[in-house]
Amino acid sequence: MVKEEEGIIIEISQNNIAKVKVGRHNECKNCGACPGDSSVVIEAKNLLGAKIGQRIAFQIKETNMLMAAFVVYIAPLIVVAFGVYVGQVIAKKFGFSVKGFQIAGGILTFILSIINIKLFDKFAHNNDKMQPVITQILS
């Protein structure tokens, strides 16, 4: 499924990527992950040649949004819980303090999940299929 949004172009880079100021909708306001109260800035492929100041419509694949939400919010929780469990198993096997190994396992896997988020961000930024695309110039 594809989600269509509207925004205003505020900048265009050399490689035809437009920075678009988008008004936040209820889903964004409820999340609160992005800074700013009334708008966010996204990068979209400018295949139509839109200019700075023009109001445009762009599309984002909802599967990409769901995958990003999973990687950022759900995966770290699962990974940290797994790290705590592995820390507990290791501590019991070797007769060490269980709490200390649980904490260490949780911290280690949390750091690994942050690295995973950074790698996913680079992957998503460089993957043409995951970037929003300008579909229409409105004004």
Side-chain angles (χ1 to χ4, degrees):
M1 225 168 120
V2 176
K3 187 173 191 171
E4 186 144 320
E5 295 283 335
E6 294 181 7
I8 298 174
I9 297 180
I10 58 173
E11 184 180 323
I12 298 175
S13 68
Q14 295 287 24
N15 53 355
N16 220 19
I17 300 293
K19 288 192 177 183
V20 181
K21 185 177 180 180
V22 183
R24 292 173 69 172
H25 45 81
N26 286 339
E27 293 169 6
C28 283
K29 288 179 184 175
N30 291 337
C31 170
C34 300
D37 290 339
S38 61
S39 65
V40 293
V41 176
I42 60 109
E43 291 183 350
K45 291 192 285 186
N46 186 12
L47 303 177
L48 301 179
K51 307 281 187 240
I52 294 174
Q54 288 185 315
R55 185 162 196 76
I56 54 95
F58 63 93
Q59 289 183 345
I60 302 174
K61 292 182 181 175
E62 284 194 10
T63 55
N64 295 341
M65 291 172 48
L66 290 173
M67 185 182 349
F70 179 80
V71 168
V72 172
Y73 296 111
I74 305 301
L77 292 174
I78 294 169
V79 169
V80 168
F82 180 73
V84 169
Y85 175 73
V86 169
Q88 176 182 344
V89 169
I90 291 172
K92 285 182 178 179
K93 184 174 182 173
F94 294 107
F96 292 113
S97 167
V98 173
K99 284 186 183 180
F101 271 72
Q102 286 176 327
I103 292 170
I107 291 171
L108 179 64
T109 52
F110 180 72
I111 292 168
L112 291 174
S113 68
I114 290 174
I115 293 169
N116 183 46
I117 291 169
K118 292 288 188 185
L119 292 174
F120 177 78
D121 184 46
K122 285 182 183 179
F123 166 76
H125 192 272
N126 294 331
N127 187 345
D128 285 342
K129 293 179 182 177
M130 293 191 74
Q131 287 193 340
V133 178
I134 296 174
T135 55
Q136 191 176 18
I137 300 173
L138 302 174
S139 63

